[in-house]
Amino acid sequence: MSLEEKALQNDMAAYMRGEQPPAEQLTAAPRLSGWVATITRGPSGEYEMTLIGRATGHPYLLDGKDATTSPILWLDRKGRWARSQNRLWKLGEPAGEEVPIDGVDA
């Protein structure tokens, strides 16, 4: 198991216990503003939720560029942060849109 996979496993276990990400992790996390949730079918055919918004502080993206997260594995119920498959995100104000489900068949 890679270090990234182990970190993800530890994060998920902590969230299941009701824990929040440590303050230092949230401080270092990139921010996603004007975000909206989308649900699509992933490569395996299963439904995946991603977030799309303007990223700042991302290690590989220019500030202010539109970004799509990797699949979201945990979304803070108060909309303050999200854990994607690849990283923790701080969430700014959402775009105010509902999660689109058009075209998603049950």
Side-chain angles (χ1 to χ4, degrees):
M1 179 180 296
S2 73
L3 290 176
E4 291 84 12
E5 291 168 328
K6 184 65 174 165
L8 176 61
Q9 186 179 52
N10 289 342
D11 287 350
M12 294 297 105
Y15 305 153
M16 291 294 290
R17 291 189 302 269
E19 297 175 18
Q20 301 288 311
E24 62 273 5
Q25 283 184 1
L26 277 174
T27 299
R31 183 176 186 85
L32 198 64
S33 301
W35 57 273
V36 62
T38 61
I39 297 174
T40 58
R41 285 195 184 265
S44 66
E46 294 182 4
Y47 292 112
E48 297 179 340
M49 180 173 67
T50 59
L51 303 178
I52 301 171
R54 288 180 312 282
T56 54
H58 191 282
Y60 308 119
L61 301 173
L62 294 174
D63 283 354
K65 289 293 225 180
D66 285 342
T68 301
T69 66
S70 57
I72 297 296
L73 303 177
W74 197 280
L75 181 61
D76 172 51
R77 73 173 87 183
K78 295 182 181 177
R80 299 170 297 185
W81 57 270
R83 179 59 160 95
S84 73
Q85 189 170 349
N86 294 336
R87 71 184 66 253
L88 180 67
W89 289 87
K90 288 183 288 198
L91 299 178
E93 288 296 316
E97 300 176 22
E98 294 289 324
V99 176
I101 58 171
D102 293 341
V104 177
D105 53 352

